[in-house]
Amino acid sequence: MAVLECLTGGSDTTYREITGERVVFGRHPSCEVVIDKAAVSRYHARILQSHGRFYIEDLRSRNGTQVNQSDIEGRQLLDDGDEIRVCDFSFRFHESMPSGKTRDSTIDRKADQSWATNIGRETRPVVVEDPDDSTSERSSIISTLEAGTSSNLRLSVKPEAKLRSILEVSRSLGRVLGFDEVLSTILDGLFKIFSQAEEGFILLKEDDTGELSVHASKSVRETTDELVPVCKTIVNRVVETAESILSANASEDPRFQASDSLANYKIQSVICAPLIGKAENMMGVIQISTADLKMQFTQDDLDLLASVASQASLAIENSTLHMAVMKQRDLERDLDFATQVQLGFLPDVRPKFTCYTFFDHYEAAQRVGGDYFDYITLPDNRVAVAIADVAGKGVPAALLMARLYSSARYHLLTQPTVAGALSGLNSEIASSGLGRRFITCVLAVVDSEKHELTLANAGHLPPLRRTADGNVVPIGQKDSGMPLGIVPTQTFDETKYLIDPGDTWLFFTDGVTEAKRGDNEFYGGQRLIDYVASGPAEANKLVKGVIADVENFCEGTPQADDTCLVCFRRDA
């Protein structure tokens, strides 16, 4: 397993195994190695794995990428020990984990998506861990308040001030919907209400791991310390019991004394309240603290924080739902556009030759798909028919299908033979850094003057040929090579066939033969052969009939794979 070693930049970890097909360095949060510096491009560079070798490529970054102190151009092979430099940050590539080293388990608190998220960051999102609770002999917790009692606050002390503060926070939250704005507004409101507050944070549970992490923090101190002081003993108690807690002299509690960072802040008083959702689910906690001995928090402060926390919970839930709706809307809009783009790649005009008729059908299982077909007009009254199936479905397959569209046209128009075009297409796909994805593909050139078909197949389902007397035969299965993208040096054979009057040729993808009824009954190749043998003679009616027969077979089972058929017939 190849490994990246972080040499500079202050990362929380030292080593990271390269487990995927690619590792992207950049400023954008979706990158595998996030480097939060303005000099770093959003997508700066990437490491690609292809057939057991690793390559690095600069993604047209404005400041470039260096390997062993030399700028790289294009794609460059990585050797063991090579030093990669992205602006001021250096990494060393190892073909395997160095002897005696192990992968750091504290890579990232939000799973393994942003190994170097903290590189260059100026925020303070680090949680301080407390020692084992079993060593505690006494507690600094002096008061608790169940979350359910916050609606019946004791207003005996300055009730008008409490009400005014709560209304002010409510009005402020009513003006914002953005997630970060909501969290910031909550903390700003609390610091206005509690003038003695010096540190505050909001911890929220992560959807994927269920662990708490800091999503917002506020401090009145000027400090370069990157740690947000979190008293995990109190936080864990709040989460477990759903009680708001008032704690005094927290820094003197023996449970916290092992935390040097916490001791440095000299925290004297803490109030912490749970964030409870409408479904009574634990969302996280709010905590504020002070080191001022003369301005410690009181029971009334605890009451007020519990009340604000109930409003904050609702605002956070609404903001989260709003954010999800906005993301879904953006996704739907992007998918709509992607669908239109992909349909634009498919031919909108069928070939028109004397004595020949063509027909086709395409339907993606999702909004976009990985099946592909095309007609490419060639000189001398010839047309190339291409049909392919990219491994996988959805957006990744659709992106590769878009590349296949232009590449297939290029090789068919520049190579003298069909076999040469398929071999050139395979070499390009195999060396393109697409990882382990492969493509089955058939290229066929129809000569309408010689009534001849030249066929080359890369691991695709063999086309069916129906003669004028109704006999149906799969063509070219023995001459088929492996799918595209597996062996870069693979060459393909081509075979020529005469097209007799009344001949019908049907090309299709496995979305037809692997259509399912129930859990494990497939439509199958033999059923397709039987239908083609007895189906209509005309190309358009035959394709429509196959689709109807597959739908009747499936009995309402949703389409699981992309479906594509191309058919042509010599009428005379």
Side-chain angles (χ1 to χ4, degrees), residues 92-320:
R92 191 175 304 283
F93 173 79
H94 300 277
E95 292 182 348
S96 60
M97 184 70 75
S99 178
K101 303 294 184 181
T102 58
R103 183 179 186 272
D104 194 331
S105 62
T106 61
I107 282 178
D108 181 63
R109 292 170 182 79
K110 295 185 179 179
D112 195 19
Q113 298 175 349
S114 300
W115 170 50
T117 297
N118 66 320
I119 293 181
R121 283 203 182 275
E122 296 177 356
T123 54
R124 304 161 58 232
V126 181
V127 175
V128 178
E129 297 291 341
D130 292 336
D132 191 341
D133 284 352
S134 62
T135 62
S136 174
E137 297 179 355
R138 60 188 179 87
S139 173
S140 64
I141 298 173
I142 61 175
S143 181
T144 63
L145 178 66
E146 293 183 10
T149 66
S150 61
S151 58
N152 299 310
L153 296 176
R154 296 186 296 275
L155 299 176
S156 56
V157 180
K158 298 184 180 179
E160 68 284 354
K162 290 186 177 183
L163 183 59
R164 189 184 311 113
S165 300
I166 294 172
L167 290 176
E168 182 178 348
V169 173
S170 297
R171 282 195 298 269
S172 298
L173 290 175
R175 300 188 191 104
V176 294
L177 265 177
F179 186 73
D180 292 336
E181 288 182 289
V182 166
L183 300 184
S184 177
T185 299
I186 293 169
L187 287 177
D188 288 344
L190 290 175
F191 273 59
K192 289 180 181 179
I193 295 171
F194 303 105
S195 58
Q196 72 269 49
E198 296 179 345
E199 296 282 346
F201 61 80
I202 297 176
L203 284 174
L204 296 177
K205 278 190 174 182
E206 301 299 334
D207 292 334
D208 50 355
T209 64
E211 296 181 356
L212 291 170
S213 63
V214 176
H215 279 252
S217 63
K218 185 177 177 69
S219 174
V220 298
R221 298 189 184 97
E222 292 185 5
T223 177
T224 59
D225 197 330
E226 294 185 350
L227 295 178
V228 175
V230 176
C231 179
K232 290 295 291 294
T233 301
I234 293 178
V235 167
N236 289 338
R237 171 75 177 269
V238 171
V239 171
E240 292 169 2
T241 64
E243 294 178 335
S244 299
I245 286 177
L246 166 63
S247 176
N249 298 323
S251 60
E252 296 181 2
D253 193 308
R255 288 175 294 187
F256 312 145
Q257 289 174 0
S259 174
D260 294 334
S261 297
L262 189 58
N264 290 338
Y265 280 97
K266 302 294 183 182
I267 291 177
Q268 297 294 333
S269 184
V270 173
I271 47 176
C272 186
L275 296 168
I276 308 294
K278 288 182 287 187
E280 300 300 320
N281 57 302
M282 177 61 65
M283 299 166 53
V285 301
I286 299 177
Q287 179 176 301
I288 56 175
S289 59
T290 181
D292 192 339
L293 285 171
K294 298 178 180 179
M295 298 289 289
Q296 294 194 26
F297 296 112
T298 65
Q299 179 66 51
D300 293 304
D301 294 329
L302 183 64
D303 290 343
L304 184 51
L305 180 64
S307 181
V308 172
S310 65
Q311 297 179 66
S313 300
L314 179 60
I316 292 171
E317 269 193 326
N318 289 342
S319 177
T320 302

Side-chain angles (χ1 to χ4, degrees), residues 336-514:
D336 284 340
F337 180 71
T339 301
Q340 297 305 314
V341 170
Q342 184 173 45
L343 293 177
F345 285 124
L346 302 178
D348 55 1
V349 177
R350 300 184 179 103
K352 299 185 187 302
F353 293 128
T354 303
C355 303
Y356 285 85
T357 55
F358 288 78
F359 197 77
D360 47 69
H361 172 85
Y362 179 91
E363 185 176 1
Q366 301 176 11
R367 299 285 285 276
V368 290
D371 281 5
Y372 151 83
F373 82 95
D374 198 6
Y375 304 116
I376 300 98
T377 302
L378 302 175
D380 303 324
N381 290 320
R382 295 178 301 146
V383 64
V385 177
I387 186 168
D389 186 357
V390 178
K393 297 184 289 294
V395 173
L399 291 172
L400 191 49
M401 174 269 195
R403 175 166 186 166
L404 189 64
Y405 167 84
S406 59
S407 298
R409 284 178 167 255
Y410 170 78
H411 289 287
L412 280 165
L413 291 169
T414 57
Q415 294 285 348
T417 65
V418 178
L422 195 58
S423 298
L425 185 59
N426 172 71
S427 178
E428 178 182 335
I429 296 298
S431 61
S432 61
L434 297 172
R436 297 180 179 84
R437 286 193 178 274
F438 61 88
I439 305 168
T440 64
C441 179
V442 170
L443 298 181
V445 173
V446 179
D447 189 325
S448 63
E449 291 186 353
K450 295 181 180 180
H451 301 298
E452 186 178 74
L453 181 140
T454 306
L455 184 74
N457 192 334
H460 198 80
L461 295 170
L464 301 180
R465 178 186 187 183
R466 188 177 83 170
T467 58
D469 60 4
N471 185 39
V472 179
V473 180
I475 298 297
Q477 190 167 11
K478 292 182 179 180
D479 300 324
S480 175
M482 290 187 292
L484 304 178
I486 296 179
V487 179
T489 58
Q490 180 182 199
T491 58
F492 296 86
D493 297 324
E494 63 180 47
T495 309
K496 295 184 182 295
Y497 302 89
L498 289 177
I499 307 173
D500 297 323
D503 274 4
T504 301
W505 289 74
L506 181 68
F507 301 78
F508 55 93
T509 61
D510 59 9
V512 177
T513 54
E514 294 182 5

Side-chain angles (χ1 to χ4, degrees), residues 47-87:
I47 293 176
L48 300 170
Q49 179 181 177
S50 179
H51 305 289
R53 303 304 302 272
F54 291 85
Y55 302 82
I56 186 164
E57 180 180 21
D58 184 76
L59 300 177
R60 296 184 178 87
S61 64
R62 61 181 179 275
N63 290 317
T65 305
Q66 292 79 39
V67 172
N68 299 329
Q69 300 181 352
S70 297
D71 291 337
I72 62 173
E73 294 183 2
R75 189 170 297 166
Q76 179 173 322
L77 181 67
L78 281 172
D79 293 323
D80 187 50
D82 278 353
E83 182 178 336
I84 302 166
R85 191 168 184 85
V86 177
C87 295

